[in-house]
Amino acid sequence: MKLAVVGATGLVGSEILEVLDEHNFPFDELLLVASERSVGKKIAYKDKDYTVIGLAEAVSLKPEIAIFSAGGNTSLEWAPKFAEVGTLVIDNSSAWRMDPTKKLVVPEINAKEISKEDKIIANPNCSTIQMVLALEPLRQRYGIKRIVVSTYQSVTGTGKAAVDQMMAERAGTTPEMVYPHKIDMNVLPHIDVFQPNGYTKEEMKMINETKKIFSDDSIKVTATTVRIPTMGGHSEAVNVEFKEDFDMAEVRELLSKAPGIIVQDDPANFIYPMPITAHKKDEVFVGRLRRDESQPNTINMWIVADNLRKGAATNAVQIAEYALENKLV
């Protein structure tokens, strides 16, 4: 079985390789793929050096699975070319997420929707993944009317250049600017480009992707996405109005039993999710659970996950694992 990692030299590409190793993902041949400027570079994986190849060569080798993390334009151009030769493409970009002909998958929620006919599967946005995973067991039990989410997102979500900007600012040197403002010791209420309605593209991703993953356009969602000078993961303050009333003890039990979720909710002992402790973990961490006393049937939650892990690499690898286990490739 040939496995291709497209965008292998990037932050998420490196994380995909780590997750593949940790999960002991089975393959016979590994193809590390990147843009022309990276072709010929060497990448070490499991004590072996791999030479980076280009996209055209990778297509000609007809891998069974290709995990893409190379940006939307690359995905739009090359994912169909891989699909044409029979490759299952799992794409991390936003290119295919809202395409009505493509599945948008968080395995714990809707992997069963994947069929053999699906050759391009979209990985949701990192901030969407962690939120919907934490909400799914509660949605199944109580139903959801409305979600209000404010995010606190790591600079790693923008990529290596953004990390370099922050670290240069911290060191007191002149950085190459990725953001329109300084990020260290600052907060930017601005992720991705602003849309005509005043929301950013990141905010609209959370709104639209949540409805698609849950297959429920009746859920009202509003989002404010914010970049903060941290590494290790994204944090979210989520306010959820359910269709039915809930019991707090049952909420904790449902979350504790749900796959991929770890409850950290002991404020008396200062135990709650933080990006610094979620770093390099595959799970989504949930805490600060408390009833919203301003209106009925509503709860406040604090949700944290490593955006390069469950928010990108881990989710993609889990989709590939599901496809293999269910003989979809």
Side-chain angles (χ1 to χ4, degrees):
M1 204 278 289
K2 288 181 189 171
L3 170 69
V5 176
V6 180
T9 57
L11 271 183
V12 177
S14 300
E15 206 72 28
I16 289 168
L17 292 175
E18 279 192 32
V19 175
L20 290 169
D21 187 11
E22 291 170 17
H23 287 219
N24 292 311
F25 188 87
F27 56 81
D28 300 306
E29 190 174 343
L30 179 64
L31 310 175
L32 300 188
V33 189
S35 62
E36 288 303 315
R37 66 179 179 274
S38 296
V39 170
K41 284 185 177 178
K42 300 286 186 182
I43 296 178
Y45 177 74
K46 282 193 171 183
D47 301 321
K48 181 180 175 183
D49 283 340
Y50 290 82
T51 302
V52 174
I53 63 173
L55 285 148
E57 183 179 351
V59 171
S60 72
L61 293 170
K62 299 181 179 179
E64 277 73 24
I65 297 174
I67 302 178
F68 267 62
S69 191
N73 290 334
T74 299
S75 293
L76 284 171
E77 180 181 356
W78 287 94
K81 295 178 181 179
F82 279 87
E84 282 171 15
V85 299
T87 301
L88 171 64
V89 174
I90 301 163
D91 181 45
N92 260 309
S93 80
S94 61
W96 304 100
R97 290 177 189 157
M98 297 312 298
D99 185 322
T101 68
K102 305 294 185 288
K103 306 287 171 54
L104 184 64
V105 175
V106 178
E108 295 92 337
I109 300 175
N110 61 347
K112 290 180 181 177
E113 294 179 9
I114 304 171
S115 71
K116 275 194 171 183
E117 286 66 47
D118 294 309
K119 289 301 178 188
I120 300 175
I121 296 172
N123 219 34
N125 184 41
C126 48
S127 47
T128 306
I129 289 174
Q130 68 187 69
M131 183 178 76
V132 296
L133 186 62
L135 294 185
E136 174 64 2
L138 307 181
R139 182 183 76 93
Q140 291 288 348
R141 174 65 179 85
Y142 309 112
I144 292 177
K145 285 180 68 175
R146 184 171 188 252
I147 301 165
V148 181
V149 54
S150 297
T151 72
Y152 306 74
Q153 296 181 222
S154 162
V155 293
T156 56
T158 311
K160 183 180 181 299
V163 176
D164 290 344
Q165 176 185 330
M166 182 178 75
M167 298 312 289
E169 289 167 348
R170 194 159 291 182
T173 58
T174 303
E176 186 172 330
M177 297 294 285
V178 175
Y179 299 121
H181 303 282
K182 181 182 177 184
I183 183 61
D184 192 39
M185 302 289 286
N186 198 15
V187 167
L188 304 181
H190 170 197
I191 299 178
D192 215 321
V193 296
F194 283 97
Q195 305 294 290
N197 65 356
Y199 287 78
T200 64
K201 193 175 177 184
E202 181 84 356
E203 289 158 354
M204 294 311 300
K205 286 176 191 174
M206 292 197 76
I207 292 165
N208 295 324
E209 291 176 23
T210 297
K211 295 180 180 187
K212 183 172 179 178
I213 294 164
F214 285 154
S215 299
D216 189 349
D217 285 337
S218 73
I219 298 175
K220 295 183 171 74
V221 187
T222 189
T224 302
T225 58
V226 179
R227 188 73 68 191
I228 64 172
T230 58
M231 293 168 63
H234 291 349
S235 306
E236 299 171 346
V238 183
N239 178 273
V240 189
E241 181 183 1
F242 297 119
K243 292 178 180 177
E244 300 176 13
D245 198 10
F246 57 90
D247 175 76
M248 286 303 301
E250 185 181 47
V251 165
R252 289 187 173 89
E253 183 182 9
L254 289 167
L255 290 168
S256 297
K257 289 181 175 177
I261 294 172
I262 293 177
V263 176
Q264 295 179 328
D265 190 38
D266 184 6
N269 291 301
F270 312 114
I271 294 171
Y272 32 69
M274 298 181 292
I276 199 167
T277 50
H279 185 51
K280 293 292 183 185
K281 306 285 199 316
D282 285 339
E283 296 83 7
V284 171
F285 299 85
V286 182
R288 294 300 320 278
L289 294 161
R290 61 212 188 275
R291 187 178 286 274
D292 181 345
E293 297 179 349
S294 70
Q295 69 172 16
N297 305 347
T298 305
I299 195 171
N300 285 302
M301 309 169 67
W302 179 249
I303 302 169
V304 178
D306 186 325
N307 55 294
L308 298 181
R309 286 283 178 134
K310 184 56 181 172
T314 300
N315 200 73
V317 171
Q318 287 173 326
I319 294 171
E321 288 172 333
Y322 180 89
L324 281 181
E325 288 163 10
N326 291 275
K327 298 180 170 56
L328 300 177
V329 290

